[in-house]
Coordinates of all heavy atoms in Angstrom, one line a residue:
P1308 N 139.2 126.8 -7.2 CA 138.9 127.9 -8.0 C 137.8 127.7 -9.0 O 137.3 126.7 -9.1 CB 140.3 128.0 -8.7 CG 140.7 126.6 -8.9 CD 140.1 125.8 -7.8
M1309 N 137.5 128.8 -9.6 CA 136.4 128.8 -10.6 C 137.0 127.9 -11.8 O 138.2 128.1 -12.1 CB 136.2 130.2 -11.2 CG 135.2 131.0 -10.3 SD 134.6 132.4 -11.2 CE 136.1 133.5 -11.4
T1310 N 136.2 127.2 -12.5 CA 136.7 126.4 -13.6 C 136.2 127.1 -14.9 O 136.9 126.9 -15.9 CB 136.1 125.0 -13.6 OG1 134.8 124.9 -12.9 CG2 137.1 124.1 -12.7
S1311 N 135.1 127.8 -14.8 CA 134.7 128.7 -15.9 C 134.0 129.8 -15.4 O 133.8 129.9 -14.2 CB 133.8 127.9 -17.0 OG 132.6 127.4 -16.3
P1312 N 133.6 130.9 -16.1 CA 133.1 132.2 -15.5 C 131.9 131.7 -14.6 O 130.9 131.2 -15.0 CB 132.6 132.9 -16.7 CG 133.6 132.6 -17.8 CD 134.0 131.1 -17.6
L1313 N 132.1 132.2 -13.3 CA 131.2 132.0 -12.2 C 130.8 130.6 -11.8 O 129.9 130.4 -11.1 CB 129.8 132.8 -12.7 CG 130.1 134.3 -12.7 CD1 128.9 134.9 -13.4 CD2 130.3 134.9 -11.4
T1314 N 131.5 129.7 -12.4 CA 131.2 128.3 -12.1 C 132.4 127.6 -11.6 O 133.6 127.7 -11.9 CB 130.9 127.6 -13.5 OG1 129.7 128.2 -14.1 CG2 130.5 126.1 -13.3
I1315 N 132.1 126.7 -10.5 CA 133.1 125.9 -9.8 C 132.7 124.5 -9.9 O 131.6 124.1 -9.5 CB 133.3 126.3 -8.4 CG1 133.8 127.8 -8.3 CG2 134.2 125.4 -7.6 CD1 133.6 128.4 -6.9
E1316 N 133.5 123.7 -10.5 CA 133.2 122.2 -10.5 C 134.0 121.4 -9.6 O 135.2 121.6 -9.6 CB 133.3 121.7 -12.0 CG 132.2 122.2 -12.9 CD 132.4 121.6 -14.3 OE1 133.3 121.0 -14.6 OE2 131.4 122.0 -15.0
K1394 N 129.6 114.7 -9.2 CA 130.0 116.0 -9.6 C 129.2 117.0 -8.7 O 128.1 116.8 -8.6 CB 129.8 116.4 -11.0 CG 130.3 117.6 -11.6 CD 130.3 117.5 -13.1 CE 129.8 118.7 -13.7 NZ 129.5 118.7 -15.2
V1395 N 129.9 118.1 -8.3 CA 129.2 119.2 -7.6 C 129.6 120.4 -8.3 O 130.7 120.8 -8.5 CB 129.7 119.2 -6.1 CG1 128.9 120.3 -5.4 CG2 129.4 117.9 -5.3
T1396 N 128.5 121.2 -8.7 CA 128.8 122.4 -9.4 C 128.2 123.7 -8.6 O 127.0 123.5 -8.2 CB 128.0 122.4 -10.8 OG1 128.4 121.1 -11.4 CG2 128.5 123.5 -11.7
V1397 N 128.9 124.7 -8.5 CA 128.4 125.9 -7.8 C 128.4 126.9 -9.0 O 129.4 127.1 -9.7 CB 129.4 126.3 -6.7 CG1 128.9 127.7 -6.2 CG2 129.4 125.3 -5.6
V1398 N 127.3 127.6 -9.1 CA 127.2 128.7 -10.0 C 126.9 130.0 -9.1 O 126.0 130.0 -8.3 CB 126.1 128.6 -11.0 CG1 125.9 129.9 -11.9 CG2 126.1 127.4 -11.8
K1399 N 127.9 131.0 -9.2 CA 127.8 132.1 -8.3 C 126.8 133.1 -9.0 O 126.7 133.4 -10.1 CB 129.1 132.8 -8.2 CG 130.2 131.9 -7.7 CD 131.6 132.8 -7.7 CE 132.7 131.9 -7.2 NZ 133.9 132.8 -7.1
Q1402 N 123.1 134.0 -12.0 CA 123.6 133.9 -13.4 C 123.2 132.6 -14.1 O 124.0 132.1 -15.0 CB 125.2 134.2 -13.4 CG 125.6 135.6 -13.2 CD 125.4 136.5 -14.3 OE1 125.7 136.1 -15.5 NE2 124.9 137.7 -14.3
R1674 N 125.2 137.8 -19.7 CA 126.6 137.7 -19.3 C 127.4 137.7 -20.6 O 127.1 137.0 -21.6 CB 126.9 136.5 -18.5 CG 128.3 136.4 -18.1 CD 128.5 135.3 -17.1 NE 128.5 134.0 -17.7 CZ 127.6 133.0 -17.3 NH1 126.5 133.3 -16.6 NH2 127.5 131.8 -17.9
E1676 N 131.1 137.0 -22.1 CA 132.5 136.4 -21.8 C 133.4 136.5 -23.0 O 133.0 136.4 -24.2 CB 132.3 134.8 -21.5 CG 131.3 134.5 -20.5 CD 131.1 133.0 -20.3 OE1 131.8 132.2 -20.9 OE2 130.3 132.7 -19.5
Y1688 N 134.9 138.1 -17.9 CA 133.4 138.1 -18.0 C 132.8 139.3 -17.2 O 133.3 139.8 -16.3 CB 132.9 136.7 -17.5 CG 133.0 136.5 -16.0 CD1 132.0 137.0 -15.2 CD2 134.1 136.0 -15.5 CE1 132.2 136.9 -13.7 CE2 134.4 135.8 -14.2 CZ 133.3 136.3 -13.3 OH 133.5 136.1 -11.9
I1732 N 139.5 134.7 -15.4 CA 140.2 133.4 -15.2 C 141.3 133.4 -16.1 O 141.2 133.6 -17.3 CB 139.2 132.2 -15.6 CG1 137.9 132.3 -14.7 CG2 139.8 130.9 -15.4 CD1 136.9 131.2 -15.1

Side-chain angles (χ1 to χ4, degrees):
M1309 283 194 296
T1310 32
S1311 61
L1313 295 166
T1314 303
I1315 297 165
E1316 288 183 355
K1394 188 166 133 186
V1395 182
T1396 310
V1397 174
V1398 181
K1399 301 178 182 189
Q1402 288 283 319
R1674 181 171 75 249
E1676 300 177 8
Y1688 66 88
I1732 298 176

